[in-house]
Amino acid sequence: MPKILVTGGLGYIGSHTVVALQEAGFKVVIIDNLSNSTLKVLEGIVSITGVKPEFENFDLKEKNKIQEFLQKHDDISNVIHFAASKAVGESVEKPLLYYENNINTLVCLLQELNKKESINFIFSSSCTVYGQADVMPITEESPIKQAESPYGKTKQIGETIIADICKANKKFNAIALRYFNPIGAHKSAKIGELPTGVPQNLVPYIMQTGVGKRKQLSVFGNNYPTKDGTCIRDYIHVEDVASAHVIAIQRLLNKGNKSNLEIFNLGTGKGSTVLEVVKSFERVANQKLNYKIVERRQGDIMSAYADTSKANTILGWKAKFTLDEAILSAWKWQKTL
Ligand code: WQD
């Protein structure tokens, strides 16, 4: 089986994808600068699969390091690129950090990969490229609006860069996967989400409130025109997101040179409100969650959930886990921390 390069492979979605790739029989090599992860994640991967992926610790901004890496691993022609910063709020405060870390590193990596005979490239994209879509559920053809944050813009720009390379280089095949809201943890509870500092995202904040690490969850607004006034999102189990990456790389391996960028939404197709996620936690954890309704959060969109028919029919992939199963997996993981 071919070797797969996974950049950001010790991150949240990256580590779950490495496990899924190894379980599908692929050999994996990880590049990670450990800016948002630790070597404990590598131990977690090994404890699940029994197979230690190769790991090189450097930053993709260091172009000479990429060149050395690709000389050493000259058999790599399949890449899944996760390495990026992903905190929406932080990107508004520090746009240059995001343009450097998400765009500059992507260009450095692509410049080196573009020299190779042929490349299959999977790009970690995001539903944030849609902004507040006018029509639900959101399809891949939904108009791309001006993203609400520099983070979202880096995903839009990233897709554009890759699409242009596919047009210019007939040996460059790519798929962009637009994640909706990945949540949960591996069923073994040996790897999961490791937010640094105060969690910005809903589910890790709920989990930390559940174990008493946080006093109370703030629900950002309940005056939206939705069934209970709180925002709607498409919460997808991270293991479902990981399995889609295995199917996507297999598609590129099998389809030969088509040299175009295919784009797929990764969601469950079901929208859940914030309060429905809170209730899911209370159900699976069998305990009340301490929360209060506060003001809306700047930049939040009201509703986003996916039309997944394209991934269902073309990739033959469909999310398997329910919201309760994803929330339970996050809870089991939180209790190990
Ligand atoms: C979800 C809902 C909040 C925290 C994320 C990622 C982004 C992208 C899309 C991958 C919103 C509400 C949250 C809290 C709350 N994913 N909330 N109290 O904003 O959809 O963005 O998914 O690329 O990178 O950040 O997710 O979990 O921050 O918020 O009420 O303490 O929960 O208002 O409605 P979001 P989120």
Side-chain angles (χ1 to χ4, degrees):
M1 288 284 253
K3 189 192 281 186
I4 314 289
L5 166 58
V6 180
T7 72
L10 293 184
Y12 173 41
I13 300 170
S15 55
H16 287 82
T17 301
V18 167
V19 165
L21 286 166
Q22 288 186 326
E23 288 175 344
F26 289 101
K27 207 167 147 38
V28 174
V29 54
I30 294 169
I31 296 175
D32 201 300
N33 67 0
L34 296 178
S35 64
N36 197 18
S37 183
T38 72
L39 283 174
K40 281 180 72 64
V41 177
L42 190 58
E43 291 163 20
I45 291 168
V46 176
S47 70
I48 294 168
T49 65
V51 178
K52 187 175 170 68
E54 289 184 75
F55 166 57
E56 304 228 5
N57 175 3
F58 66 88
D59 192 311
L60 290 172
K61 282 191 277 297
E62 299 172 82
K63 211 166 172 180
N64 61 319
K65 291 273 179 72
I66 299 176
Q67 289 161 351
E68 284 163 27
F69 174 88
L70 289 174
Q71 275 148 22
K72 178 179 166 188
H73 298 274
D74 58 1
D75 55 346
I76 280 178
S77 54
N78 297 284
V79 182
I80 303 181
H81 180 57
F82 290 104
S85 303
K86 62 141 216 162
V88 172
E90 184 188 47
S91 76
V92 175
E93 287 150 34
K94 303 174 185 168
L96 271 179
L97 179 102
Y98 274 68
Y99 288 116
E100 185 191 30
N101 198 41
N102 292 9
I103 302 297
N104 186 6
T105 50
L106 174 67
V107 171
C108 290
L109 176 65
L110 290 171
Q111 280 172 328
E112 296 313 313
L113 293 176
N114 204 35
K115 296 171 186 169
K116 295 183 73 86
E117 177 48 35
S118 74
I119 283 289
N120 292 322
F121 193 83
I122 308 279
F123 180 60
S124 165
S125 191
S126 165
C127 64
T128 39
V129 304
Y130 298 112
Q132 175 57 72
D134 300 326
V135 178
M136 292 297 138
I138 301 173
T139 72
E140 289 83 354
E141 283 65 51
S142 298
I144 299 299
K145 295 188 173 175
Q146 172 80 338
E148 309 270 334
S149 70
Y151 164 76
K153 289 172 192 164
T154 65
K155 293 301 180 183
Q156 290 173 341
I157 297 164
E159 287 186 9
T160 304
I161 291 170
I162 295 161
D164 287 345
I165 294 173
C166 290
K167 284 194 198 100
N169 175 356
K170 296 299 166 218
K171 301 277 193 202
F172 197 99
N173 298 308
I175 286 176
L177 298 174
R178 290 176 178 166
Y179 314 149
F180 277 68
N181 287 56
I183 63 168
H186 190 266
K187 53 183 165 299
S188 65
K190 292 193 165 76
I191 54 174
E193 198 164 4
L194 285 168
T196 40
V198 178
Q200 299 303 303
N201 294 131
L202 176 66
V203 170
Y205 204 105
I206 286 177
M207 297 303 149
Q208 291 190 9
T209 305
V211 291
K213 188 172 178 184
R214 304 286 161 200
K215 246 168 53 37
Q216 184 179 55
L217 169 75
S218 297
V219 172
F220 298 140
N222 70 343
N223 57 356
Y224 289 93
T226 63
K227 63 174 90 163
D228 59 23
T230 63
C231 296
I232 295 168
R233 295 289 186 275
D234 187 332
Y235 297 95
I236 176 169
H237 196 302
V238 66
E239 286 203 64
D240 278 327
V241 175
S243 64
H245 287 74
V246 178
I247 294 170
I249 203 75
Q250 284 166 336
R251 175 174 172 79
L252 292 181
L253 283 164
N254 302 332
K255 77 168 201 168
N257 281 324
K258 288 281 182 305
S259 70
N260 63 339
L261 171 63
E262 290 184 293
I263 295 175
F264 298 96
N265 285 339
L266 292 190
T268 64
K270 186 179 172 311
S272 301
T273 69
V274 174
L275 291 180
E276 284 174 329
V277 177
V278 169
K279 288 188 180 40
S280 171
F281 170 78
E282 294 183 332
R283 212 169 23 249
V284 302
N286 195 23
Q287 68 180 63
K288 277 286 170 214
L289 188 83
N290 181 10
Y291 71 89
K292 68 178 181 220
I293 308 291
V294 300
E295 286 307 301
R296 294 182 174 190
R297 178 171 68 176
Q298 191 65 34
D300 271 340
I301 55 172
M302 175 193 71
S303 175
Y305 57 94
D307 177 322
T308 61
S309 47
K310 189 178 173 191
N312 301 156
T313 51
I314 295 179
L315 287 184
W317 167 89
K318 187 167 175 49
K320 293 199 306 284
F321 294 98
T322 64
L323 176 66
D324 280 10
E325 287 167 331
I327 293 292
L328 179 58
S329 70
W331 185 228
K332 281 169 64 180
W333 163 248
Q334 179 65 51
K335 289 189 286 185
T336 70
L337 297 178

